[in-house]
């Protein structure tokens, strides 16, 4: 059951890919929004209507959120430390845990003290693991199987947020997503898009994997639903577009959306894996060759949520400059 509310929402990470899209979605629905930024230099031109965004500074265990939580009904926490911090050094646990764990818990505790009704935390499928076996999918009941500090920090945060719900009135909603794509998305999707646009023939047509993806519009739709749906309280949800793709299918979809031709030729996946390992690109090989599928059935059942955008339309929206076909 949905509550009907237009109450104020605090969104963190508003200058990022997901946060910026979410602010646009919530603003269109008429919700009052407060979107703090780290500094004026980090704003990237972010404004909500005619208002400049307030500066909060770095998000960590010492951040003071008090003045920004006044009259806030819900918090959507998108900000986090992700990716490689310094490629020249081994991964360090402290930055991930200070920002992702301690920073999140500090915000959540202050939010509960300010009588915020609901706290939505954007987690990651990396809590469950990096890949699934053929024919298998991850779901919310699977045990954690993280393999890096990012996934570990997300799981630790989830656990401590759910513990917090036992001693406060604030409700928590956790959303684990696979790769999120959309206009101006970065990371692996951007790399694949550049590869497709280059016109270079790619030896990838023999890959028979399966991966889940999530269009940014679908993620924003689910978040908006979770703000008010009573059945979302204190739950973990998986999310995806509902149509898993192989690597060749994804590349073909990107090419069609970009309006370019794609040249794929066969090469045994084992050979590609050997070559990738020889150049120290094991993680890249896993993403291109391996499977990673999620089951979003719980969101469908408990929230009656269906992704409003299919994969073809989601990819098309990534490249609006191409225009109608």
């Amino acid at each position: 059951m949905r509550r009907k509310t237009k109450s104020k929402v605090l969104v963190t990470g508003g200058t990022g890919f997901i946060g910026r899209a979410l602010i646009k979605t919530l603003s269109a629905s008429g919700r009052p929004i407060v979107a703090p930024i780290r500094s004026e230099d980090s704003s990237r031109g972010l404004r909500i209507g005619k208002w400049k965004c307030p500066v909060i500074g770095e998000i960590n265990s010492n951040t003071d959120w008090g003045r920004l939580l006044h009259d806030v009904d819900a918090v959507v926490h998108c900000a986090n430390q992700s990716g490689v911090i310094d490629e020249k050094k081994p991964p360090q646990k402290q930055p991930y845990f200070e920002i992702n764990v301690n920073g999140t818990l500090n915000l959540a505790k202050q939010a509960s003290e300010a009588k915020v009704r609901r706290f939505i935390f954007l987690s990651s499928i990396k809590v469950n693991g990096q890949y699934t076996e053929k024919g298998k999918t991850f779901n919310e009941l699977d045990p954690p199987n993280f393999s890096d500090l990012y996934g570990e920090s997300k799981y630790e945060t989830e656990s401590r947020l759910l513990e917090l719900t036992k001693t406060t009135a604030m409700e928590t909603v956790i959303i684990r997503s696979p790769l999120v794509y959309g206009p101006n998305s970065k990371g692996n999707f951007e790399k694949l898009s550049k590869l497709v646009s280059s016109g270079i023939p790619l030896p990838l047509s023999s890959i028979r994997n399966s991966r889940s993806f999530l269009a940014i519009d679908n993620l924003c739709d689910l978040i908006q639903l979770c703000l008010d749906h009573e059945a979302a309280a204190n739950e973990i949800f998986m999310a995806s577009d509902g149509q898993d793709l192989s690597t060749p299918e994804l590349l073909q979809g990107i090419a069609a959306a970009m309006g370019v031709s794609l040249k794929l030729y066969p090469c045994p996946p084992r050979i590609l894996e050997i070559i990738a390992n020889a150049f120290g690109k094991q993680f890249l090989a896993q993403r291109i060759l391996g499977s990673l599928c999620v089951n979003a059935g719980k969101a469908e059942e408990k929230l009656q949520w269906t992704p409003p955008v299919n994969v073809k339309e989601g990819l098309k929206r990534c490249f609006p400059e191409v225009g109608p076909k």
Side-chain angles (χ1 to χ4, degrees):
M1 179 178 178
R2 295 174 185 248
R3 295 187 182 96
K4 293 183 179 180
T5 177
K6 296 294 183 182
S7 301
K8 186 189 294 185
V9 179
L10 185 148
V11 177
T12 69
T15 59
F17 165 58
I18 293 175
R20 191 178 287 268
L22 179 62
I23 289 170
K24 182 178 180 180
T25 297
L26 297 180
S27 296
S29 72
R31 288 182 184 269
I33 300 168
V34 56
I37 56 178
R38 292 194 308 274
S39 67
E40 292 289 354
D41 292 338
S42 70
S43 68
R44 301 178 190 173
L46 179 66
R47 300 176 75 92
I48 300 177
K50 64 181 180 180
W51 304 107
K52 294 177 65 176
C53 297
V55 174
I56 190 64
E58 295 298 325
I59 297 177
N60 53 43
S61 57
N62 298 313
T63 308
D64 182 3
W65 297 91
R67 62 188 173 87
L68 300 179
L69 291 168
H70 181 66
D71 289 336
V72 166
D73 177 66
V75 171
V76 183
H77 190 42
C78 304
N80 74 120
Q81 174 64 59
S82 62
V84 178
I85 297 173
D86 188 342
E87 294 183 350
K88 297 180 180 180
K89 297 180 181 179
Q92 299 295 312
K93 187 171 184 176
Q94 193 275 338
Y96 286 99
F97 276 65
E98 175 60 14
I99 296 170
N100 293 354
V101 182
N102 299 336
T104 302
L105 267 294
N106 176 49
L107 170 57
K109 289 175 181 178
Q110 291 185 49
S112 68
E113 292 167 0
K115 309 301 181 186
V116 169
R117 176 182 58 85
R118 184 163 287 184
F119 190 98
I120 298 179
F121 175 61
L122 294 197
S123 188
S124 169
I125 195 60
K126 283 195 170 186
V127 168
N128 293 76
Q130 299 276 18
Y131 64 93
T132 49
E133 296 178 8
K134 186 176 182 179
K136 301 290 186 179
T137 61
F138 284 136
N139 65 55
E140 295 84 356
L141 297 179
D142 288 329
N145 189 31
F146 44 81
S147 59
D148 61 14
L149 290 173
Y150 179 70
E152 182 182 359
S153 70
K154 287 292 189 179
Y155 175 67
E156 179 70 16
T157 305
E158 288 185 10
S159 301
R160 292 176 65 176
L161 284 173
L162 292 173
E163 283 295 318
L164 187 65
T165 63
K166 298 176 182 179
T167 57
T168 70
M170 187 176 72
E171 302 164 346
T172 292
V173 183
I174 294 166
I175 298 175
R176 293 181 191 163
S177 67
L179 185 148
V180 180
Y181 66 94
N184 303 311
S185 55
K186 304 298 182 182
N188 291 330
F189 186 82
E190 181 184 33
K191 293 175 182 177
L192 288 176
S193 299
K194 288 181 177 179
L195 200 59
V196 169
S197 66
S198 72
I200 299 172
L202 304 173
L204 305 176
S205 65
S206 299
I207 298 173
R208 299 291 183 266
N209 63 342
S210 184
R211 298 186 76 90
S212 297
F213 301 94
L214 183 61
I216 185 65
D217 290 335
N218 289 336
L219 175 57
C220 290
D221 184 76
L222 178 59
I223 293 171
Q224 188 166 231
L225 179 60
C226 287
L227 281 169
D228 302 318
H229 204 299
E230 292 181 356
N234 304 323
E235 296 285 355
I236 299 174
F237 295 102
M238 300 285 194
S240 78
D241 289 337
Q243 178 186 350
D244 298 336
L245 303 175
S246 67
T247 296
E249 289 172 335
L250 174 62
L251 294 171
Q252 289 162 355
I254 293 173
M258 297 179 75
V260 301
S261 60
L262 177 67
K263 300 174 184 177
L264 297 179
Y265 63 91
C267 180
R270 179 56 182 160
I271 299 299
L272 294 174
E273 185 178 6
I274 292 172
I275 294 172
N277 290 342
F279 286 92
K281 301 294 184 180
Q282 294 91 336
F283 288 115
L284 177 62
Q286 192 279 319
R287 291 185 178 93
I288 292 177
L289 303 174
S291 294
L292 179 58
C293 298
V294 307
N295 184 340
K298 180 178 176 180
E300 292 180 24
E301 180 182 347
K302 292 187 75 72
L303 308 179
Q304 294 76 56
W305 179 69
T306 301
V309 176
N310 61 35
V311 172
K312 182 177 180 180
E313 177 63 23
L315 291 173
K316 182 179 177 182
R317 293 183 183 185
C318 293
F319 311 101
E321 69 279 1
V322 174
K325 302 287 189 297

